[in-house]
Amino acid sequence: MAGKPKLYYFNGRGRMETIRWLLAAAGIEFEEQFFETREGLLKLQQDGSLLFQQVPMVEIDGMKMVQTRAILNYIAGKHSLYGKDLKERALIDMYVEATMDLNEMIMHYPIQPPETKAKHLATIIEKATTRYFPVYEKALKDHGQDFLVGNRFSRADVQLLETILMAEECKPDMLSKFPVLQAFKAKISNIPTIKKFLQPGSQRKPPLDEKLIPKVMSDIKPLALRE
């Protein structure tokens, strides 16, 4: 029997967090190895474990997988979270790519310098409430189903919930004008595997502690973690 997937990253959200979410949603237990210093990452780079010298990296099914989207695609496909056919997969991809665009903006909010932080938050709110959330609100309302695609739980639902919760950390009433998304959030949050992941003590990571930002910027940014 294959062992648990093993995740290599820093002890924080970053681009690994969506991978954690998807594994948790699929009910898959996983292990993590955190880089406490630059040396841990440098060792992986030097021993050839990282195909493109970057993390996230996930050891799974005998592979050392890198590139965030490739990892997510593999997990979703393996665990039946990627639609029943190519058309559903294409729609899931469209929803997911947009959600990840918003997620990216939110992820960078804590590390904004003080002089640009308010503007960055305003951009997040504007994009979320006029570009992204209206699309999901309309899709769910128009087809009258519980899930975004094919009336079946998929990675699109998982990643949308993750991003909704991140958006609400920035502005708690972010969904005030989106009643269908409010209902969606409540329903998806109560799926047993998701509910477990949302409990205290899970492997879900908290928002970046602002006191750690200088260390993050000095230790992580020079090592080219973007994927």
Side-chain angles (χ1 to χ4, degrees):
M1 179 182 289
K4 297 177 183 178
K6 188 170 184 179
L7 283 50
Y8 293 80
Y9 204 66
F10 293 86
N11 190 5
R13 287 183 178 176
R15 288 172 180 80
M16 187 64 87
E17 188 69 358
T18 298
I19 297 169
R20 296 184 185 105
W21 266 88
L22 198 57
L23 285 167
I28 305 303
E29 295 183 357
F30 56 89
E31 300 174 350
E32 300 190 76
Q33 180 168 317
F34 300 122
F35 303 124
E36 303 296 338
T37 65
R38 293 188 186 195
E39 284 68 30
L41 178 56
L42 290 172
K43 183 177 183 298
L44 277 186
Q45 291 174 328
Q46 292 164 0
D47 71 15
S49 294
L50 302 178
L51 190 62
F52 299 110
Q53 304 297 307
Q54 295 172 308
V55 289
M57 192 263 277
V58 175
E59 283 189 312
I60 184 170
D61 296 340
M63 299 182 290
K64 294 181 177 180
M65 293 196 69
V66 296
Q67 297 295 335
T68 305
R69 285 171 172 80
I71 296 167
L72 291 167
N73 291 347
Y74 182 81
I75 295 167
K78 179 177 180 178
H79 297 289
S80 302
L81 294 170
Y82 213 172
K84 70 178 187 298
D85 55 33
L86 284 174
K87 286 187 177 180
E88 285 194 359
R89 180 169 291 194
L91 187 54
I92 288 169
D93 283 342
M94 286 192 285
Y95 286 145
V96 162
E97 288 297 318
T99 305
M100 291 180 80
D101 287 345
L102 178 57
N103 186 300
E104 183 89 2
M105 282 191 283
I106 298 170
M107 186 169 58
H108 283 88
Y109 173 61
I111 61 175
Q112 293 298 305
E115 63 270 18
T116 64
K117 204 159 190 176
K119 183 178 180 181
H120 191 90
L121 176 59
T123 299
I124 291 171
I125 295 169
E126 191 271 330
K127 299 291 187 186
T129 58
T130 67
R131 176 177 295 184
Y132 297 110
F133 289 168
V135 171
Y136 306 121
E137 178 88 358
K138 184 177 187 300
L140 290 164
K141 184 176 181 180
D142 285 354
H143 63 45
Q145 298 170 346
D146 294 328
F147 307 110
L148 281 170
V149 178
N151 201 26
R152 181 181 179 184
F153 184 48
S154 77
R155 64 179 294 198
D157 305 303
V158 179
Q159 292 182 236
L160 177 56
L161 177 63
E162 178 198 4
T163 301
I164 285 173
L165 295 181
M166 288 176 65
E168 289 182 329
E169 289 171 352
C170 296
K171 188 174 187 289
D173 65 347
M174 192 78 82
L175 289 187
S176 61
K177 297 180 180 179
F178 303 100
V180 178
L181 279 182
Q182 292 175 36
F184 169 88
K185 170 191 164 186
K187 181 174 183 61
I188 303 302
S189 294
N190 277 293
I191 291 173
T193 54
I194 299 288
K195 187 173 183 178
K196 181 180 178 181
F197 190 59
L198 292 173
Q199 297 304 307
S202 80
Q203 288 169 288
R204 183 187 179 207
K205 297 297 179 278
L208 181 62
D209 186 335
E210 292 194 7
K211 291 182 291 186
L212 297 178
I213 289 174
K215 178 173 175 58
V216 169
M217 297 304 290
S218 63
D219 286 358
I220 299 178
K221 190 173 180 181
L223 294 174
L225 305 187
R226 181 180 179 85
E227 292 195 21

